[in-house]
Amino acid sequence: MTDSTPRRVRVRAPELVGKGGWLNTGDRQYTLSDLRGRIVVLDFWTFCCINCLHVLDELRELEEKHADTVAVIGVHSPKFAHEAEHTAVVDAVERYGVEHPVLDDPDLATWKQYAVRAWPTLVVIDPEGYVVAQHAGEGHVHAIERLVTELEAEHEAKGTLRRGDGPYVAPEPEPTTLRFPGKALVLPGGTFLVSDTTRHQLVEVESDGETVVRRIGSGARGFADGTADTASFSEPQGLALLDDSAVVVADTVNHALRRLDLATGEVTTLAGTGRQWWRGSPTSGPAREIDLSSPWDVALFAGRVWIAMAGVHQLWAYDPSDRTVAVAAGTTNEGLVDGPGPEAWFAQPSGLAATADRLWLADSETSALRWVDLDGTVRTAVGTGLFDFGHRDGPAGQALFQHPLGVTALPDGSVAVSDTYNHALRRYDPSTGEVTTLATDLGEPSDAVLVGEDIVVVESARHRLTRLRLPEEAVRVESVAHRTRRAATEVAPGRLRLDVIFQAPAGQKLDTRYGPSTRLLVSSTPPGLLLKGEGADTDLSRTLELDPGITEGVLHVSATAASCDDDTDNPYPACHVHQQDWGVPVRLTEGGADRLPLVLAGMDDSAG
């Protein structure tokens, strides 16, 4: 009799350790042994990361379908200094509707134990406490769901599966008027429209910023057009006036643009299908037929509605005259590169503000303030890249922000920046090239709007709008500079073998019907770090050559693999795209590693 049990590499799972403790467990502290008998999916995430937020949404169906056998555990692993603050993690868990336990790991202790290199990373642990799969990036939940079904059958037969309620304990809801509001807009009548993001609604409030006029949206997460009471949103963010009678809404988690009729409260869909854009999907066409990816803000500029498409690190534009959408700038590669729109790189653009000749944008993951000229050229005012951030005023070349989400054009030609993770409102003056601080002690400000001589700030973490008088002189703050908390990987100078590990999920094979199914793009900061190996190719392994004269830098690696169901009888097999971008800080050291493995999906059999 043959054993039909699938053979897998099994590695004993390290313990779950985090100085910040556990959330969503009713104050219980868990160990892996407490979860024995359940299939555990570890989700290594950080709340700044749009790809991590995508995975939270991907996991919802898996959690619901396998509620009695699967325990999803979020391991919060911070990139930015602010994300290491426990109260910020508590807020993020509520803000993004995380309905599973979360381990707060501010020192990256568990991240290091599991040798994680990218946000997000998913690790599957079987009911006996062994790691059986690892996946980096988005789009893997279909493969994990298949693995979970196999593990359920396998461990049911062995008697090692324990069914029952999971460890999640829902927190008590807080009775505030707004809950983690995202963006605000001054309406023609002087009231404010606010995206009440966590409650999946829009709220119109009086000019006092507090008194509710009306709520638009049912309050339940969904994607439905209709009246103010029946329409539904999913974590709406950006708002912009289309004209005096209508507002366009960036309905972020629905991957759509919606239209609000101000007179009737009727909500309709302008753009998007409700599905998330994936590489290979169309990038232009009739707006209702094109997939979008986490639109975070919108602004009317040069006759079109520009979209901060945070999910794919691009700017798109919606043309109201012919109801089409198209990419306006960005390559989908994550980073900070200026130049003509089609060649520019962005990193999670999240805030937009238009003037007559510039579209300003807050590029959150590079902690940068940038702009687009009328001719489409992208330029950077403040910011240097993915791993440098802080709170430093002064000349723009040395100034630092920390994950800003909003930008507001001021009457004198300068711009105010909602410097979210610094809890501050900052100002950049193009005429002097100087950055100053307008206000501090704000709770994760995510947007601001002008009202006469005042500026009204969306204090997202304090669930309110706050009115400030625009100061004539800036507040002085002590300069602070940060680098990402991730430890650099020590590698040997000279030749370095880069291996991206991808194993097609069970029952699938690489999709080669239309040519190569894999793509690997490599670059570096500084550019001179790579003497050989830069650029794109179809092989997921490559030999790089690092300049011994440069002691440290960052390797930027983007990998894509497409797999389809391995069913010869089906002419239209289901296909899936697996994609991840890594920014790997490296330090060149004699005796350092000569191989850099990055797991896209599967297990690195060469490890250890």
Side-chain angles (χ1 to χ4, degrees):
M1 183 174 176
T2 59
D3 181 5
S4 60
T5 302
R7 296 182 61 83
R8 300 187 188 90
V9 176
R10 299 207 312 167
V11 178
R12 176 62 73 178
E15 191 49 83
L16 304 178
V17 180
K19 194 167 70 175
W22 289 81
L23 308 176
N24 282 356
T25 62
D27 295 326
R28 179 172 172 181
Q29 306 297 298
Y30 278 87
T31 64
L32 269 180
S33 61
D34 297 326
L35 302 169
R36 198 62 49 82
R38 299 185 73 85
I39 301 161
V40 177
V41 179
L42 300 182
D43 176 19
F44 288 87
W45 70 299
T46 189
F47 63 78
C48 71
C49 157
I50 191 66
N51 312 91
C52 300
L53 303 186
H54 289 166
V55 168
L56 286 177
D57 292 313
E58 288 179 7
L59 286 169
R60 295 186 201 279
E61 186 177 345
L62 175 75
E63 293 178 271
E64 185 176 334
K65 185 175 179 181
H66 298 271
D68 65 335
T69 59
V70 171
V72 175
I73 305 292
V75 182
H76 189 268
S77 314
K79 171 186 173 181
F80 288 97
H82 170 61
E83 293 174 306
E85 298 170 12
H86 183 68
T87 54
V89 181
V90 172
D91 284 347
V93 167
E94 181 187 350
R95 180 195 298 267
Y96 296 116
V98 180
E99 295 183 353
H100 53 246
V102 173
L103 176 64
D104 180 13
D105 183 19
D107 297 330
L108 302 180
T110 297
W111 164 287
K112 292 169 187 170
Q113 285 293 308
Y114 280 82
V116 175
R117 293 185 182 275
W119 297 279
T121 290
L122 295 169
V123 175
V124 181
I125 301 171
D126 73 12
E128 295 178 285
Y130 289 91
V131 174
V132 291
Q134 181 172 329
H135 301 267
E138 306 176 48
H140 299 291
V141 172
H142 68 282
I144 291 174
E145 208 270 339
R146 184 176 296 203
L147 175 58
V148 162
T149 302
E150 292 176 2
L151 290 171
E152 285 174 340
E154 176 184 339
H155 288 274
E156 190 98 75
K158 291 174 68 175
T160 49
L161 185 70
R162 178 164 55 88
R163 294 181 181 271
D165 292 336
Y168 171 66
V169 178
E172 287 293 318
E174 297 285 341
T176 53
T177 301
L178 301 171
R179 203 70 192 159
F180 298 105
K183 305 288 185 181
L185 178 67
V186 180
L187 295 179
T191 57
F192 296 103
L193 187 66
V194 185
S195 52
D196 197 14
T197 303
T198 299
R199 293 210 178 110
H200 315 297
Q201 289 181 319
L202 309 179
V203 181
E204 185 179 355
V205 295
E206 295 281 10
S207 57
D208 62 7
E210 297 178 6
T211 306
V212 175
V213 176
R214 59 175 171 169
R215 291 181 179 271
I216 295 111
S218 66
R221 185 192 295 272
F223 186 24
D225 291 342
T227 65
D229 294 330
T230 62
S232 56
F233 300 94
S234 187
E235 298 181 31
Q237 287 281 351
L239 306 166
L241 280 170
L242 265 177
D243 50 48
D244 285 347
S245 65
V247 170
V248 59
V249 182
D251 193 5
T252 304
V253 178
N254 278 328
H255 312 295
L257 297 189
R258 315 292 292 281
R259 179 187 185 275
L260 168 65
D261 186 300
L262 290 172
T264 65
E266 190 83 12
V267 176
T268 52
T269 299
L270 291 177
T273 63
R275 297 183 301 271
Q276 184 184 336
W277 185 94
W278 284 102
R279 190 179 297 276
S281 302
T283 55
S284 64
R288 292 290 302 272
E289 299 173 16
I290 302 298
D291 299 339
L292 309 181
S293 183
S294 297
W296 207 274
D297 204 4
V298 282
L300 198 61
F301 177 62
R304 295 186 293 168
V305 176
W306 285 62
I307 310 163
M309 203 72 80
V312 284
H313 317 299
Q314 289 180 313
L315 301 180
W316 288 43
Y318 167 74
D319 190 331
S321 63
D322 60 10
R323 299 180 183 179
T324 58
V325 289
V327 174
T331 65
T332 75
N333 294 317
E334 184 179 14
L336 195 156
V337 177
D338 289 341
E343 300 171 16
W345 290 26
F346 300 98
Q348 217 166 297
S350 301
L352 299 174
T355 64
D357 59 354
R358 286 186 182 183
L359 178 71
W360 292 97
L361 67 114
D363 205 26
S364 61
E365 279 293 289
T366 51
S367 298
L369 172 66
R370 307 174 74 184
W371 81 86
V372 182
D373 285 329
L374 285 170
D375 66 2
T377 303
V378 178
R379 307 181 193 276
T380 298
V382 181
T384 57
L386 286 163
F387 299 101
D388 293 290
F389 52 90
H391 192 153
R392 183 193 288 156
D393 286 340
Q398 275 74 52
L400 294 171
F401 300 129
Q402 186 180 178
H403 198 80
L405 291 178
V407 60
T408 308
L410 300 179
D412 64 355
S414 66
V415 289
V417 176
S418 295
D419 193 4
T420 309
Y421 288 3
N422 279 328
H423 308 293
L425 189 68
R426 312 283 295 284
R427 175 176 177 263
Y428 168 70
D429 186 346
S431 66
T432 64
E434 291 284 317
V435 174
T436 51
T437 297
L438 296 174
T440 58
D441 191 31
L442 299 167
E444 290 194 21
S446 54
D447 195 20
V449 293
L450 280 174
V451 182
E453 295 182 356
D454 295 341
I455 190 163
V456 175
V457 180
V458 179
E459 280 196 274
S460 189
R462 290 191 181 135
H463 320 293
R464 69 190 186 194
L465 304 184
T466 297
R467 186 180 292 259
L468 305 172
R469 178 56 53 95
L470 276 175
E472 294 182 14
E473 294 185 10
V475 178
R476 295 194 179 276
V477 297
E478 184 178 347
S479 293
V480 179
H482 297 292
R483 290 278 291 174
T484 178
R485 294 177 156 254
R486 295 170 61 191
T489 299
E490 294 196 347
V491 297
R495 292 164 66 88
L496 176 68
R497 179 70 176 178
L498 171 66
D499 289 326
V500 173
I501 289 89
F502 178 75
Q503 294 153 2
Q508 294 185 19
K509 63 180 180 180
L510 287 174
D511 177 18
T512 56
R513 292 172 301 162
Y514 306 108
S517 61
T518 56
R519 180 177 182 268
L520 179 64
L521 175 67
V522 182
S523 62
S524 67
T525 304
L529 175 62
L530 274 178
L531 295 176
K532 289 183 182 177
E534 188 175 10
D537 204 345
T538 57
D539 193 341
L540 292 182
S541 292
R542 188 180 303 180
T543 299
L544 312 179
E545 188 170 337
L546 307 182
D547 186 344
I550 296 176
T551 56
E552 60 179 43
V554 179
L555 291 175
H556 303 284
V557 181
S558 178
T560 305
S563 63
C564 294
D565 290 347
D566 189 6
D567 182 357
T568 55
D569 296 330
N570 184 357
Y572 305 107
C575 296
H576 308 275
V577 176
H578 315 259
Q579 181 181 350
Q580 174 60 22
D581 296 326
W582 291 268
V584 183
V586 293
R587 182 178 299 114
L588 275 61
T589 309
E590 291 296 338
D594 61 3
R595 177 176 180 263
L596 177 61
L598 301 175
V599 177
L600 178 60
M603 301 283 282
D604 179 16
D605 296 338
S606 301

